[in-house]
Amino acid sequence: MDFDDTPEEASFRAHVRSVLQEHASELLHVAPGEPVDARSREAELRDTQRVLAEAGLVGVPWPREYGGQGGTLVQQAIVGQELGRARVPTLINHIGIGMCGPTVIAHGSDDQRSRYLARLLRADDVWCQLFSEPGSGSDLAALRTSAVRDGEDWVVNGQKVWTTLAHVADYGILLTRTDPERPKHAGLTMFVVDMHAPGVTVRPLRQMSGGADFNEVFFDDVRIPDSERLGEPGEGWRVALTTLMNERVAIGGAGSDIGPSPESLTAHARDRLPALAPEQQVLARQAVGRALVASLAARYTGYRRFTTLSQGGLPGPEASAGKLGGTAAARLVADAGVRLLGDEAVLGATADGDDSWQRAQAYVPGIAIAGGTDQVLRNILGERVLGLPPEPRTDKSAPFSSGGRR
Amino acid sequence: MDFDDTPEEASFRAHVRSVLQEHASELLHVAPGEPVDARSREAELRDTQRVLAEAGLVGVPWPREYGGQGGTLVQQAIVGQELGRARVPTLINHIGIGMCGPTVIAHGSDDQRSRYLARLLRADDVWCQLFSEPGSGSDLAALRTSAVRDGEDWVVNGQKVWTTLAHVADYGILLTRTDPERPKHAGLTMFVVDMHAPGVTVRPLRQMSGGADFNEVFFDDVRIPDSERLGEPGEGWRVALTTLMNERVAIGGAGSDIGPSPESLTAHARDRLPALAPEQQVLARQAVGRALVASLAARYTGYRRFTTLSQGGLPGPEASAGKLGGTAAARLVADAGVRLLGDEAVLGATADGDDSWQRAQAYVPGIAIAGGTDQVLRNILGERVLGLPPEPRTDKSAPFSSGGRR
Amino acid sequence: MNFDLSDDQRDAAAGAREFFTGSVPLSAARAALEGDGVPAPGRKALADIGFLGITVPESAGGAGGSVLDLAVVAEQAGAVLAGPSLVTAARAAVLLEGAPDLAAQLADGSAAIAVLDGPVTGSAPSLDAADATLFLGLDGGALVVGEGEVTPGRPMDATRGLASVRMTSRRVLTEDAGELWARARQVGAVVMAAEDLGAADRAVLMGVDYAQQRQAFGRVIGSYQAVKHMLVDAWVGVDQLRSLVWWAAWAADDSPAELPLAAAAAKAYGAEVAERATETVVQVHGGIGFTWEHDAHLYWRRAKVDRLLLGDAAEHLDAVARLAVAGALG
Amino acid sequence: MNFDLSDDQRDAAAGAREFFTGSVPLSAARAALEGDGVPAPGRKALADIGFLGITVPESAGGAGGSVLDLAVVAEQAGAVLAGPSLVTAARAAVLLEGAPDLAAQLADGSAAIAVLDGPVTGSAPSLDAADATLFLGLDGGALVVGEGEVTPGRPMDATRGLASVRMTSRRVLTEDAGELWARARQVGAVVMAAEDLGAADRAVLMGVDYAQQRQAFGRVIGSYQAVKHMLVDAWVGVDQLRSLVWWAAWAADDSPAELPLAAAAAKAYGAEVAERATETVVQVHGGIGFTWEHDAHLYWRRAKVDRLLLGDAAEHLDAVARLAVAGALG
């Protein structure tokens, strides 16, 4: 047991560091915790990814034939760690790299692969994932956005929501219902959609924390050529599972923290604890200690998953436990951070304008929902890890149009 | 709003006090919190109830024709409060008075009523309630104890469990399955069973706290005359609902505490807090404060229910909230009480042999189960108070013998 | 025992509900948060309907009502996140017992009064101070009144009108006002618990409504135990909080010796119940629940702020334990 | 990074599981509680298989293994509520670093050693003291060894062998032993967290097994979210606890500067995870779960006792916060 790189990992890490140093002047750098707005910094973010792609640091585990390095998930994680260390923000096309690209690789035509993948890695095109709808969140297969065949095209109408990056994206993978007479999972079809096509409208969606990290996307008679279909008609659910499995790989993480890090809480406590009355300090240390322990428990559990990856394993449903634990820790960390503000904890920002802890507090409720609610994750763990039976369901076999679900 | 008796209540309370004083020498008295073993003190307990019954303080809300006083539930509660105040233990026949008697009144024949009810109030006969089985707890209607018609008798085989007082009882109301070919709720029949009949075996059941407040009861070819049937064959579930509704009345309570009282925790804290280090005192006060608040919240909520009763209302499903809240409070109170013991909290009793807090701690898990698990109570509240739909069920309509539930 | 509202109080609650529902759109709370508008219905409307003077004596132009009368109205105010808070009115009414002229101005709304927490030379963020022009504060043991310089911070819940104040003029109203100040704060805590009760109750109802309609996997989500039990736990908390609020308000009126413990219990419990209920309503709504456009976060913000105003739960739990051990629980 | 057990450690765990499963019936814990028997497998069996000497140097007759090696075995001991505790062996091995003769007696079982918490003139209830004959204690900053008068109390968990001890003879082993004592206690905390991990893990498995079989309302109860999610939350706790135990044990071996924080984190988390898991297993079993005859309460008792031994969660959370602020977290 050790926390060191293997010789191969160390050498790869050294390589990454030297690349980041060499190209430092061409890369965007940000302060720790600084929010990066994709719209206002779109050009810098695209440039940054292009530079990194040309240096071979983007899509490392992708096959070489599609522009990757044929590398490992661990190498990918090392790149992520080193980007963080160098204060280079997350790649603008992280959804494309983590989810859309692998789906195109698995289910796209040769033509699609050659047109899209290299450009995706260079952020010549930014991608988004168009799955969730207002009426289908946890129950994704209940989606209603329709695609109707018309000659060589499909005509799409409907609405998607919670679409990260849609406001800067050039393409998206779009899950639609093409046969409402079949059972809900069987009537779906996946497409690549041009986000600049007529009839596509993107509207930013503001969260309770005030930021707008997501979008609503409206489709109004949008025409998609049949050649942009991913997989066969009616096979959309199977294609989507590829995407979702890759999402799990993407969040399987190397002990990266959900929410503010234990180090940031520690620094904050060092700053704020002395201002509290002695009895308040006793109680504040309990809250800080509890949050740190939860956070460290989540972090070291992430290290165990990372070790599994580095031994060649794939992240299983246990990744859901990582998100549950991380969310619980984030809640405790954010709460302890706000409380340490003392009198200023009731305001939206401190006197010097710092709102990081209040923002964290208002972001946590979303963490418990986005990417799988706590309740859905518990179902997954109960059923796939503990082997407990699922709830009885009646919605799987009835034709979708019969309103089996309404 | 006030917490005083109405003039009528005050006058009834004065009457009760004078009766208790007048007969003090004939009544059993115990120290607060002292456990009372029904077996070893059976004679005293029966005598106490007889004296109280002759003084008109037992079964107050029962109709006069069955030996009651035609009084109110509030008067009954006042008797309970005054018994507690005078340190007279709970009536030995409290199950009979609260649940079995009302069931006999509602569903028994005139002959049964005249043979049983007066003797029940005087504790000439002690009664118990034989419903739960090892295989049917929350799902009571899944019970398997069978009663088969044989001439003028029914022959009973099976096992009951969690039977309070079975070891001293003379009679019980017994829910059986008489027609396994009908759906689970439709094949049940209720009887009065003579606990001294051949084939009835009672075995004490020890709980994790070490006490034995319950029993297992085995029925081995026990013959019950058809004249001891309560209600029609197949109507047992409806009869049982009468019993269960009366159970709710019995636990609807007048703000009586589940578990140790806030006053007992306060006295304990007064005694033990000064021995703790200053920082520990800060944390201990948090735990004590939290437990007291929960306990007072449950108590004053009980007072609101009691007011509803005194205005002539019946306790509804909200009574389940009282048990949930009371259980949560009991958990906090017991835990704070144990922690206040300091070094001695890891032992089963203090150096002077006092095990009251450790016993309370080990009793709490049972409170969250007996008389409706927390989970079942939440279902009841969600469905009957909040109006949320029940879980889908498949077990209600199939013949019981089809194994719909296994 | 009669631990229930009177018919008059029920009527008052119904009237208050009607008033607040009609005069306080939730969009006002969101607009105020965006810096575009002030809390509704505002001081004037509250004065006009008489809510600012419920506990002001009739001789000073108030209704001469009880704290329980006020708490019943405050619950309805909390349900729609009304501002300014009736906590301020309740607290000021106690502090101005010896100043009928000022009490009259409180009741008729001619003075925009706020009560300052912390030092008057630079207060902690204090309720309804943002738009107030006259301030009450505790200065070296004396109750003082005067004007001040107001510094509002960036709001977390704009309906609370929080601001720090440096008093620029000071007139002593009552020397040796420590006990008066403490009682006023206890009464304020009771009324805040009542507002939290209203907010938490409404949040649970919002969650229940949504859970009865929203479908997932072929069933309404309220039929799932994960959702149902979460809502039930929140509801049980609300139900129990109502009991503590009533008890504490009754104690303020009829049993002063019980007030300190009862007020602390209600405030501590109210903070936790409101926090749980409002977190629950966000979670039950899923994605839509954490959007800016949805009302859920307005309730959530109220709970996150209120839990820390007038003393956090830790302070009040400590008080409960200390008071009980000192004999307040008998 | 390789945050995983080695093949040798996996083999050791499998061997330990086999040993403990074969030699420790749960009925032993119940019998001991009823005053009828002693904890199994007992000191001699643990010495014979070499578990008491895992961290004793080879030169003193031990295996010269790591704390992680010991933690892996301790998890298996915890799973069956074995006694005496490997915590005692771990702690004594550290304290006896400078006393190879005594370390050898620890390892081969010829001395029945316990480590005393609190004053040696009247200790707190201390682990495995009930049947010990030789005691280690901290006396005015010095590590002392000697005999003592043992006063066992009524047990809550008889497998812990708790007793208060008044030392009747004392020989100084190490002057100025404060740091040594602290390190030994930290190592003990890690090993106790490992035992709690095993107990909690087993409790969750018991609950899962039952939930897969028991029926209610026509379905196995594990299909209900109320039951399923309760078990999942307990399992997630166990899974995360395993990470902290491994980290803390690794720190004890390879990163002494991290040990104090890691040990405190593991002990605090272990206490809460074991408490939740064992309360969950009782609740999931319903009525049968709170009978004396069922094993659930034996695990519950272990958790209720362990959470307070070697410092409660509050003490360790405080330590985590203090150490982090002082720089231990970087």
Side-chain angles (χ1 to χ4, degrees):
Chain A
M1 184 175 292
D2 62 68
F3 294 92
D4 308 327
D5 287 337
T6 62
E8 295 74 22
E9 288 162 1
S11 125
F12 182 76
R13 189 183 296 277
H15 165 66
V16 174
R17 276 192 200 179
S18 76
V19 169
L20 294 182
Q21 200 157 15
E22 184 187 339
H23 294 280
S25 64
E26 303 162 75
L27 302 173
L28 177 61
H29 295 82
V30 294
E34 180 187 339
V36 180
D37 180 59
R39 171 65 92 189
S40 63
R41 314 193 77 162
E42 182 180 342
E44 297 161 280
L45 285 163
R46 286 189 188 237
D47 286 347
T48 294
Q49 184 174 331
R50 185 180 39 73
V51 170
L52 294 171
E54 286 169 357
L57 297 189
V58 178
V60 174
W62 285 27
R64 288 186 182 278
E65 57 187 305
Y66 305 126
Q69 308 296 319
T72 65
L73 291 171
V74 170
Q75 289 177 330
Q76 168 123 311
I78 288 173
V79 172
Q81 289 164 2
E82 293 303 317
L83 289 177
R85 187 173 165 280
R87 302 192 171 169
V88 176
T90 305
L91 299 183
I92 186 169
N93 221 359
H94 63 101
I95 303 281
I97 299 162
M99 285 159 259
C100 307
T103 307
V104 171
I105 291 174
H107 299 282
S109 64
D110 287 344
D111 176 57
Q112 287 172 320
R113 291 179 183 140
S114 65
R115 276 190 291 126
Y116 292 133
L117 295 173
R119 292 180 53 86
L120 184 157
L121 290 180
R122 291 164 46 93
D124 294 338
D125 302 325
V126 171
W127 285 62
C128 64
Q129 172 190 327
L130 300 146
F131 285 14
S132 293
E133 298 185 7
S136 66
S138 296
D139 183 11
L140 178 59
L143 63 89
R144 294 178 164 272
T145 292
S146 69
V148 176
R149 186 73 188 245
D150 180 31
E152 280 309 290
D153 292 348
W154 297 76
V155 180
V156 176
N157 282 282
Q159 183 195 346
K160 296 291 178 177
V161 75
W162 306 119
T163 316
T164 307
L165 292 169
H167 59 310
V168 295
D170 304 292
Y171 292 97
I173 56 173
L174 172 66
L175 190 57
T176 65
R177 183 165 307 280
T178 46
D179 189 351
E181 300 313 313
R182 302 197 62 198
K184 65 199 284 191
H185 295 83
L188 306 177
T189 304
M190 187 80 81
F191 296 95
V192 174
V193 63
D194 178 350
M195 294 296 286
H196 306 299
V200 177
T201 309
V202 177
R203 208 188 76 160
L205 186 61
R206 203 166 165 199
Q207 313 95 272
M208 60 186 272
S209 57
D213 299 334
F214 303 98
N215 301 273
E216 295 177 293
V217 182
F218 299 86
F219 294 90
D220 187 13
D221 284 336
V222 174
R223 300 191 79 84
I224 303 180
D226 187 54
S227 57
E228 294 302 348
R229 190 165 29 75
L230 279 176
E232 294 304 308
E235 289 286 306
W237 186 249
R238 202 169 61 84
V239 178
L241 289 181
T242 300
T243 317
L244 297 174
M245 200 200 74
N246 278 281
E247 182 173 19
R248 187 188 291 161
V249 173
I251 67 167
S256 56
D257 307 305
I258 295 178
S261 70
E263 286 78 9
S264 65
L265 178 63
T266 298
H268 182 47
R270 198 176 287 136
D271 193 32
R272 291 282 189 158
L273 267 177
L276 302 179
E279 294 208 351
Q280 287 180 315
Q281 290 192 28
V282 174
L283 298 172
R285 282 200 306 269
Q286 288 292 305
V288 169
R290 187 175 302 281
L292 292 178
V293 169
S295 196
L296 292 167
R299 174 181 287 183
Y300 281 90
T301 303
Y303 289 164
R304 280 170 54 215
R305 307 282 177 253
F306 182 74
T307 299
T308 304
L309 284 190
S310 82
Q311 292 167 348
L314 278 177
E318 295 82 4
S320 298
K323 185 174 174 244
L324 267 184
T327 301
R331 199 181 288 278
L332 293 171
V333 170
D335 194 60
V338 168
R339 285 176 178 276
L340 280 168
L341 296 172
D343 282 348
E344 293 185 295
V346 294
L347 298 174
T350 61
D352 58 8
D354 179 8
D355 67 351
S356 56
W357 289 103
Q358 285 94 337
R359 252 192 307 122
Q361 174 178 247
Y363 200 77
V364 163
I367 299 177
I369 293 169
T373 64
D374 283 359
Q375 288 70 35
V376 163
L377 298 179
R378 290 189 182 108
N379 280 347
I380 291 172
L381 289 165
E383 289 156 26
R384 301 202 206 151
V385 177
L386 301 187
L388 298 169
E391 299 267 321
R393 283 180 68 171
T394 57
D395 64 314
K396 276 184 154 172
S397 48
F400 184 73
S401 63
S402 74
R405 59 175 283 278
R406 262 182 218 270
Chain B
M1 185 178 289
D2 63 68
F3 295 91
D4 307 327
D5 287 336
T6 63
E8 295 75 24
E9 288 163 2
S11 130
F12 182 77
R13 190 184 297 278
H15 164 67
V16 174
R17 275 193 201 178
S18 76
V19 170
L20 294 182
Q21 200 157 13
E22 184 188 339
H23 293 281
S25 64
E26 303 163 73
L27 303 172
L28 177 59
H29 295 83
V30 294
E34 180 187 337
V36 180
D37 180 59
R39 170 65 93 192
S40 62
R41 314 192 77 163
E42 181 180 344
E44 297 160 281
L45 286 164
R46 287 188 188 239
D47 286 347
T48 294
Q49 182 174 331
R50 185 181 39 72
V51 170
L52 294 171
E54 285 168 357
L57 298 189
V58 178
V60 174
W62 285 26
R64 287 187 182 277
E65 58 188 304
Y66 304 126
Q69 307 295 317
T72 65
L73 290 171
V74 171
Q75 289 177 330
Q76 168 124 310
I78 288 172
V79 172
Q81 288 164 2
E82 293 303 318
L83 289 177
R85 188 174 164 278
R87 303 192 171 169
V88 176
T90 305
L91 299 183
I92 187 170
N93 221 357
H94 63 100
I95 303 280
I97 299 161
M99 285 159 261
C100 307
T103 307
V104 171
I105 291 174
H107 300 281
S109 64
D110 288 345
D111 176 57
Q112 286 172 321
R113 292 178 183 139
S114 64
R115 275 191 289 126
Y116 290 135
L117 295 174
R119 290 180 55 85
L120 184 158
L121 290 180
R122 292 165 45 92
D124 293 340
D125 302 325
V126 170
W127 285 61
C128 64
Q129 172 191 326
L130 299 146
F131 284 15
S132 294
E133 298 185 6
S136 65
S138 296
D139 183 12
L140 178 58
L143 63 89
R144 296 178 163 273
T145 292
S146 69
V148 176
R149 187 73 189 244
D150 180 30
E152 279 309 290
D153 292 349
W154 296 77
V155 179
V156 176
N157 283 284
Q159 183 193 346
K160 297 290 178 178
V161 75
W162 307 119
T163 315
T164 308
L165 292 170
H167 59 310
V168 295
D170 304 291
Y171 292 97
I173 57 174
L174 172 66
L175 190 58
T176 66
R177 183 165 305 279
T178 46
D179 189 350
E181 299 313 313
R182 302 198 61 199
K184 65 200 283 193
H185 295 82
L188 305 176
T189 304
M190 187 80 81
F191 297 93
V192 174
V193 63
D194 179 350
M195 293 296 287
H196 306 300
V200 177
T201 310
V202 177
R203 208 190 75 160
L205 186 60
R206 202 166 166 199
Q207 311 98 272
M208 60 186 272
S209 56
D213 299 334
F214 303 97
N215 301 275
E216 295 177 293
V217 183
F218 299 86
F219 295 89
D220 187 13
D221 284 337
V222 174
R223 299 191 78 85
I224 303 181
D226 187 54
S227 58
E228 294 302 349
R229 187 164 34 74
L230 278 177
E232 294 303 309
E235 289 286 307
W237 185 249
R238 201 170 63 83
V239 178
L241 288 181
T242 301
T243 316
L244 297 174
M245 201 200 73
N246 278 282
E247 182 173 19
R248 188 187 292 161
V249 174
I251 67 166
S256 56
D257 309 304
I258 295 178
S261 70
E263 286 78 8
S264 65
L265 178 62
T266 298
H268 183 46
R270 197 177 288 136
D271 192 32
R272 290 283 190 158
L273 267 178
L276 302 179
E279 294 207 351
Q280 287 180 316
Q281 291 193 28
V282 173
L283 298 172
R285 283 198 307 270
Q286 288 292 305
V288 169
R290 189 176 301 281
L292 292 179
V293 169
S295 197
L296 292 167
R299 173 181 287 183
Y300 281 90
T301 303
Y303 289 164
R304 280 170 55 215
R305 307 279 178 255
F306 183 72
T307 299
T308 305
L309 284 188
S310 81
Q311 291 166 348
L314 278 177
E318 296 83 3
S320 297
K323 184 172 176 244
L324 267 184
T327 300
R331 198 181 289 278
L332 293 171
V333 170
D335 193 60
V338 167
R339 285 176 178 276
L340 280 168
L341 295 172
D343 282 348
E344 292 185 296
V346 294
L347 299 174
T350 61
D352 58 7
D354 178 8
D355 66 352
S356 55
W357 288 103
Q358 285 93 338
R359 252 192 307 122
Q361 174 178 248
Y363 200 78
V364 162
I367 299 178
I369 293 168
T373 65
D374 284 358
Q375 288 70 35
V376 163
L377 299 179
R378 290 189 183 108
N379 280 348
I380 291 172
L381 289 165
E383 289 156 26
R384 300 202 207 152
V385 178
L386 301 187
L388 298 169
E391 299 267 322
R393 282 180 69 171
T394 57
D395 64 315
K396 277 182 153 175
S397 48
F400 184 74
S401 63
S402 74
R405 58 173 285 278
R406 260 180 220 271
Chain C
M1 177 185 306
N2 173 27
F3 189 39
D4 198 359
L5 301 182
S6 67
D7 287 343
D8 282 353
Q9 284 159 343
R10 287 187 189 284
D11 290 346
R17 177 192 298 259
E18 196 176 332
F19 167 76
F20 284 113
T21 305
S23 60
V24 185
L26 280 171
S27 57
R30 188 181 290 102
L33 195 56
E34 289 165 341
D36 187 20
V38 294
R43 285 179 197 268
K44 183 167 184 323
L46 290 176
D48 288 351
I49 197 168
F51 289 168
L52 296 187
I54 291 176
T55 55
V56 171
E58 292 185 50
S59 57
S66 66
V67 173
L68 182 56
D69 293 336
L70 181 56
V72 163
V73 173
E75 179 183 343
Q76 301 304 324
V80 296
L81 308 177
S85 172
L86 294 176
V87 169
T88 299
R91 221 170 147 192
V94 173
L95 294 174
L96 297 175
E97 277 172 3
D101 51 332
L102 282 172
Q105 293 179 42
L106 167 70
D108 68 15
S110 55
I113 296 176
V115 182
L116 301 182
D117 292 298
V120 296
T121 50
S123 78
S126 298
L127 203 57
D128 302 322
D131 71 337
T133 51
L134 196 63
F135 302 96
L136 297 167
L138 190 67
D139 185 22
L143 174 65
V144 297
V145 65
E147 302 181 324
E149 192 182 284
V150 174
T151 311
R154 194 193 305 176
M156 168 122 53
D157 168 12
T159 66
R160 282 321 201 183
L162 297 176
S164 296
V165 176
R166 185 179 66 80
M167 285 185 78
T168 51
S169 70
R170 267 173 269 177
R171 176 165 67 86
V172 170
L173 277 181
T174 313
E175 300 281 3
D176 217 10
E179 281 187 30
L180 179 69
W181 184 266
R183 181 157 54 84
R185 191 165 182 267
Q186 288 154 11
V187 169
V190 175
V191 175
M192 183 168 280
E195 291 188 340
D196 289 343
L197 169 63
D201 190 36
R202 185 59 55 91
V204 172
L205 286 180
M206 281 171 57
V208 169
D209 280 351
Y210 189 73
Q212 283 169 332
Q213 292 163 26
R214 172 78 176 187
Q215 304 248 351
F217 307 108
R219 289 158 53 185
V220 298
I221 61 171
S223 69
Y224 292 101
Q225 291 180 336
V227 173
K228 183 184 290 175
H229 292 189
M230 190 163 37
L231 287 166
V232 165
D233 286 345
W235 179 83
V236 169
V238 168
D239 186 50
Q240 296 205 126
L241 174 58
R242 182 166 286 117
S243 313
L244 288 180
V245 167
W246 286 3
W247 171 44
W250 169 85
D253 298 322
D254 293 320
S255 185
E258 288 181 71
L259 175 61
L261 193 151
K267 177 66 174 71
Y269 201 71
E272 296 184 2
V273 164
E275 204 174 355
R276 181 170 54 186
T278 59
E279 286 177 350
T280 296
V281 70
V282 172
Q283 185 72 20
V284 165
H285 278 77
I288 192 74
F290 77 99
T291 59
W292 184 265
E293 296 309 319
H294 197 276
D295 294 334
H297 76 99
L298 302 173
Y299 286 87
W300 179 90
R301 288 171 181 278
R302 171 63 71 92
K304 287 294 179 193
V305 168
D306 274 14
R307 66 184 185 146
L308 302 172
L309 294 176
L310 301 185
D312 67 2
E315 175 187 323
H316 290 294
L317 293 177
D318 193 82
V320 166
R322 283 183 190 275
L323 289 163
V325 166
L329 205 59
Chain D
M1 179 183 309
N2 173 27
F3 189 40
D4 197 0
L5 300 181
S6 67
D7 287 344
D8 282 354
Q9 284 158 343
R10 288 188 189 283
D11 290 348
R17 177 192 298 260
E18 196 176 333
F19 167 76
F20 284 113
T21 306
S23 60
V24 185
L26 281 170
S27 57
R30 187 180 291 101
L33 195 55
E34 287 166 343
D36 186 19
V38 295
R43 285 179 196 269
K44 181 165 186 324
L46 289 176
D48 288 352
I49 195 166
F51 289 167
L52 296 187
I54 290 175
T55 56
V56 170
E58 292 185 47
S59 58
S66 66
V67 173
L68 183 57
D69 293 336
L70 181 56
V72 163
V73 173
E75 178 181 344
Q76 301 304 325
V80 297
L81 307 177
S85 172
L86 295 177
V87 170
T88 298
R91 221 171 147 191
V94 173
L95 294 175
L96 298 176
E97 277 172 4
D101 51 331
L102 282 172
Q105 292 178 45
L106 167 70
D108 69 14
S110 56
I113 296 177
V115 182
L116 301 181
D117 292 297
V120 297
T121 51
S123 79
S126 298
L127 203 56
D128 302 322
D131 71 336
T133 51
L134 197 62
F135 302 95
L136 297 167
L138 190 67
D139 185 23
L143 175 64
V144 297
V145 64
E147 302 181 323
E149 193 182 285
V150 174
T151 312
R154 194 194 302 177
M156 169 122 54
D157 168 11
T159 66
R160 282 320 200 184
L162 297 177
S164 297
V165 175
R166 185 178 67 79
M167 285 185 78
T168 50
S169 69
R170 267 175 268 178
R171 174 164 69 87
V172 171
L173 278 181
T174 314
E175 300 281 4
D176 216 9
E179 280 186 31
L180 179 69
W181 183 265
R183 181 158 56 85
R185 191 166 183 267
Q186 288 154 12
V187 169
V190 175
V191 175
M192 183 168 282
E195 291 188 341
D196 288 344
L197 169 63
D201 190 38
R202 185 60 55 90
V204 172
L205 286 180
M206 281 171 57
V208 169
D209 281 351
Y210 190 73
Q212 283 169 332
Q213 292 164 25
R214 172 77 176 187
Q215 303 248 350
F217 308 108
R219 290 159 51 186
V220 297
I221 62 172
S223 69
Y224 292 101
Q225 291 180 335
V227 173
K228 182 184 290 174
H229 292 188
M230 191 164 36
L231 286 166
V232 165
D233 286 345
W235 179 83
V236 170
V238 168
D239 186 49
Q240 297 205 125
L241 174 58
R242 182 166 287 118
S243 313
L244 288 180
V245 166
W246 285 3
W247 171 44
W250 169 84
D253 297 322
D254 293 320
S255 186
E258 289 182 71
L259 175 60
L261 193 150
K267 178 64 173 71
Y269 202 71
E272 296 183 3
V273 164
E275 204 174 354
R276 181 170 53 187
T278 59
E279 285 176 351
T280 296
V281 70
V282 172
Q283 185 72 17
V284 165
H285 278 77
I288 193 75
F290 77 99
T291 59
W292 184 265
E293 296 308 321
H294 197 277
D295 294 333
H297 76 99
L298 301 173
Y299 286 87
W300 178 92
R301 288 172 181 278
R302 170 63 70 93
K304 288 293 179 193
V305 168
D306 274 13
R307 67 184 184 146
L308 303 171
L309 293 177
L310 303 185
D312 66 3
E315 175 187 323
H316 290 294
L317 293 177
D318 193 83
V320 167
R322 283 182 190 274
L323 289 162
V325 166
L329 206 58

